[in-house]
Amino acid sequence: MTAVDVAQETFDSLNPATDEVVGTYPVHGAERVAETVARARGAASWWASLGFDGRRARLLRWAAQMTRRMDELCTVVQQETGKPHGDAQLETVLAIEHLTWAAKHAPKILGRHRRSPGLLLSNHTASVEYQPLGVIGVIGPWNYPVHTPLGSISYALAAGNAVVFKPSEYTPGVGKWLVDTFAEVVPEQPVFQLVTGFGKTGAALVSAGVDKIAFTGSTGTGKKIMAAAAETLTPVVIEAGGKDALLVDSDADIAAAADAAVWGAFSNAGQTCIGVERVYVHQDVYDTFVDKVVELTGKVRPGTEYGPITMPSQLDVIRRHIADGPARGGRALTGGKDAVGERFVQPTVLVDVPEDSEAVEEETFGPTMTVAKVRDMDEAVEKANGTRYGLGSTVFSKRNGLALAARLKAGMTSVNAPLSFAGIGSLPFGGVGDSGFGRIHGPEGLREFSRPKAVARQRFAVPINLTTFNRTEKTDKLVAKLVTLMHGRRANG
Ligand code: NAD
C-alpha cells in the first residue's frame, strides 16, 4: 500500500430503488492505478505464455463458475442497478455465451494463417498471426454491468491480454464480483484486476500507459477519453450512446413489431444503449401499430417489468425530452408530462413529435419512444439515418428486411426480432458517428485486442533476385515484361 492509500477515500454504492448503501469501495488515485497497471504487465506475459489452450481452459472454467453462481451475481446486479432479477439473468446468460465463444474461437481466428505470397514472391511463404497487445484498460458503464464490460474483457483476455477494469461508480460491486471469481479460477497472477472510483480514476487509467483503452459509456466521456489518450498515442475503442430506430414496413407482422418496440423501448427502463428510442411506421399500418403499442404499454408496470432510473441525474433529461415533443405539437399517448416520478418513470409513447426535437435527436435513456408515420420505407430509412448516432437498429418486414437493413447507417441491424445481434457470439458489435468506433464481439472483437504480425519466409533463392545491389539491367527488363503480362493488358479504364 502506498501513503496515498493509507488515508483511503471511499464511496458508497447505493440501491437506486431504496437508496440503501449496498457496498463501500476505495477511490483509487493515479498512483494506485499506475501500480495496478505495472502489476498487470508481468501478468500479461504469463497469460500470453499459456497459449490459446491454457487460456481457453481457464476462461471456460470461469464461465462455468459464473454459470453456477449466476444467482449470486444477479443479486449484486439487482442491488446496484435496481433491475429485475430476470433481466440481470438475461444479461449474464448473454455474457457467458460471449465469454465461451471468445475462448473457443480465439485459436482459429488469431492463430497463424497462411496467406498467398503472390506471383512475384512465389518463392516465399507468407503468414499472419494476431498477438496480444499487452494490458487493456476497460472502462465500463452501469446499465448492463455484466454484459457490456465483459464484451470487451472476455475478448481481450481470450486474445491473451491482461485487463485492468474500472467499472462504473454505480456498479463497483459487480466489477468486484467478476474480478474475484476470475481470481479464484486463475490464482497464479493478477491477470484481471479492479480499480474503483469516479471519472478521475478512469482518466488515470487512460493515462497509465496501457496498450489500449476499451471504453463503453456516453459520447461526451468518449470524446474526453480520446483526447486524453491522444497524449500517449494510446489506441481506443469507443462504444458510446445511441438513438436506435425501429422500422415497420407495410408487410410486417404488426403484433410482433409492436411487441418488439415495447420491449426494446421500455425494458431496463429504457437504459439500453441499443434500446429502441424512435419508431418509423409505414402509413398503411400506422394506426394498427399504434393501437397495439398502446395496448401492450398498458400492461408494462414500472417496478415490476423494469426497475428505477439508476442514475438520478438522468431523470431531468427524460423529463425534458418528454416535455419537448408535446410542447411543439406532439402528443403523449401513454405516460407524458407526469410520467417522471422520484425514481420510476411511466412508459411513455410520443407521437407527432417534430424530427428536430430533443426527444428525436438526443439519447433519452429512459422508458420512452417516439412513433412517426412515414409515406414509404425510403422516408423511414432517411429519417432513421438522420441522427449523429448509429449504433443498433431493427427492421420489421416480411419481404424487404435484409434490403432495408443494408441501407441503415448503424453498426448492427436486427430483422423481425429486437436486439438479437447482441446475443450472437460471432457478430461484431459497435457503432458509427457519435456511437463510436471499433468493434467488440465476434472475430472483429478478438482482433480489436490484438496486433497482426506478418511474416514472409523465403523458401528457396531464385535466379532473379530483386532485392540486391547485384540486380542487373536484364533482370529489370524481365520484371517489366512480367508485370506487363500480369497487369498491363487490360483496356484503359
Ligand atoms: P459515462 O460516460 O458517464 O461513464 C462511463 C464510465 O466512464 C464510468 O466508469 C465513468 O466513471 C467513466 N468516466 C467518466 N469520466 C471519465 C473520464 N474523463 N475519463 C475516463 N473515464 C471516465 O456513461 P454511463 O452513464 O456510465 O453509461 C451510459 C452511457 O453508456 C449511455 O450513453 C449508453 O448509451 C452508453 N452505453 C453504450 C454501450 C455500447 O455498447 N455502445 C453499452 C452500454 C452503454
Side-chain angles (χ1 to χ4, degrees):
M1 256 198 191
T2 66
V4 178
D5 289 322
V6 173
Q8 181 71 68
E9 193 192 328
T10 60
F11 68 104
D12 291 335
S13 172
L14 306 178
N15 180 330
T18 59
D19 276 345
E20 176 201 354
V21 175
V22 294
T24 301
Y25 298 87
V27 177
H28 288 135
E31 204 171 319
R32 176 59 181 266
V33 171
E35 286 167 11
T36 309
V37 171
R39 265 197 307 277
R41 286 258 160 251
S45 307
W46 175 78
W47 184 241
S49 76
L50 291 180
F52 289 116
D53 289 346
R55 292 195 294 269
R56 175 188 149 117
R58 285 164 174 83
L59 290 173
L60 293 180
R61 276 210 297 280
W62 187 34
Q65 172 96 313
M66 224 185 279
T67 310
R68 281 194 300 271
R69 290 169 58 184
M70 189 156 65
D71 198 47
E72 197 185 297
L73 173 58
C74 293
T75 302
V76 184
V77 173
Q78 193 174 20
Q79 280 176 345
E80 293 198 315
T81 64
K83 70 174 69 175
H85 201 271
D87 284 1
Q89 180 173 302
L90 180 60
E91 71 160 300
T92 304
V93 166
L94 295 183
I96 293 168
E97 177 69 21
H98 277 288
L99 173 58
T100 307
W101 192 94
K104 287 187 176 164
H105 289 81
K108 188 156 177 246
I109 289 158
L110 304 178
R112 183 168 292 284
H113 280 76
R114 297 278 296 258
R115 297 269 171 98
S116 162
L119 205 58
L120 272 183
L121 288 159
S122 53
N123 62 327
H124 282 66
T125 59
S127 66
V128 63
E129 69 172 339
Y130 288 82
Q131 298 178 340
L133 295 175
V135 179
I136 309 296
V138 175
I139 299 176
W142 46 265
N143 60 336
Y144 289 90
V146 178
H147 181 253
T148 295
L150 278 182
S152 299
I153 293 163
S154 302
Y155 288 80
L157 289 172
N161 303 281
V163 170
V164 176
F165 176 33
K166 205 303 265 174
S168 165
E169 51 273 38
Y170 290 94
T171 53
V174 177
K176 183 167 164 31
W177 193 96
L178 294 172
V179 167
D180 287 351
T181 52
F182 182 87
E184 286 169 23
V185 172
V186 184
E188 298 95 330
Q189 295 265 348
V191 172
F192 177 31
Q193 299 180 84
L194 183 77
V195 290
T196 51
F198 301 91
K200 258 177 114 172
T201 307
L205 183 55
V206 175
S207 310
V210 293
D211 298 292
K212 190 161 204 168
I213 285 287
F215 167 74
T216 310
S218 62
T219 305
T221 307
K223 288 179 184 174
K224 283 188 205 156
I225 286 180
M226 200 173 162
E231 293 292 320
T232 46
L233 220 59
T234 303
V236 289
V237 185
I238 304 283
E239 299 285 349
K243 190 71 187 172
D244 289 4
L246 181 146
L247 274 53
V248 186
D249 203 348
S250 55
D251 67 344
D253 176 339
I254 299 302
D259 190 65
V262 168
W263 185 78
F266 303 144
S267 60
N268 207 30
Q271 303 167 113
T272 305
C273 55
I274 47 170
V276 173
E277 297 216 357
R278 303 173 292 146
V279 184
Y280 296 103
V281 190
H282 194 287
Q283 56 183 352
D284 292 354
V285 292
Y286 178 81
D287 291 338
T288 321
F289 176 82
V290 169
D291 287 349
K292 192 72 193 161
V293 162
V294 170
E295 180 200 323
L296 293 175
T297 303
K299 297 178 190 153
V300 178
R301 293 149 304 165
T304 307
E305 271 75 28
Y306 61 74
I309 299 303
T310 306
M311 197 169 61
S313 59
Q314 197 64 23
L315 290 163
D316 285 338
V317 176
I318 300 169
R319 196 178 287 117
R320 213 177 57 235
H321 288 193
I322 290 179
D324 183 45
R328 302 178 53 202
R331 283 177 301 134
L333 300 183
T334 70
K337 73 176 176 27
D338 299 324
V340 182
E342 235 172 75
R343 282 294 184 176
F344 290 89
V345 177
Q346 300 294 327
T348 295
V349 177
L350 299 168
V351 294
D352 302 334
V353 176
E355 283 294 300
D356 63 349
S357 69
E358 285 186 319
V360 176
E361 288 193 326
E362 304 294 329
E363 183 181 49
T364 308
F365 230 51
T368 68
M369 71 167 102
T370 61
V371 187
K373 189 193 290 185
V374 289
R375 190 178 62 246
D376 54 26
M377 296 319 281
D378 288 343
E379 186 184 353
V381 168
E382 191 191 319
K383 289 195 162 149
N385 288 344
T387 76
R388 303 186 314 275
Y389 294 107
L391 194 54
S393 50
T394 310
V395 171
F396 272 82
S397 172
K398 291 204 179 89
R399 282 186 304 272
N400 304 318
L402 291 179
L404 289 167
R407 294 171 64 194
L408 288 174
K409 189 196 74 178
M412 297 81 60
T413 304
S414 153
V415 179
N416 296 336
L419 323 187
S420 24
F421 48 77
I424 297 177
S426 60
L427 282 181
F429 184 103
V432 300
D434 271 12
S435 294
F437 56 84
R439 292 295 182 264
I440 57 171
H441 300 176
E444 291 79 1
L446 285 167
R447 291 193 191 112
E448 188 75 55
F449 298 108
S450 327
R451 68 169 66 86
K453 171 75 188 205
V455 176
R457 182 177 68 89
Q458 180 171 290
R459 288 184 298 141
F460 54 87
V462 282
I464 314 167
N465 190 354
L466 304 178
T467 51
T468 169
F469 286 122
N470 295 330
R471 199 175 62 219
T472 61
E473 218 174 289
K474 198 171 142 209
T475 305
D476 284 345
K477 278 190 183 141
L478 202 65
V479 169
K481 225 181 230 169
L482 190 63
V483 80
T484 307
L485 270 174
M486 282 163 62
H487 305 297
R489 290 188 306 170
R490 260 180 223 116
N492 282 345

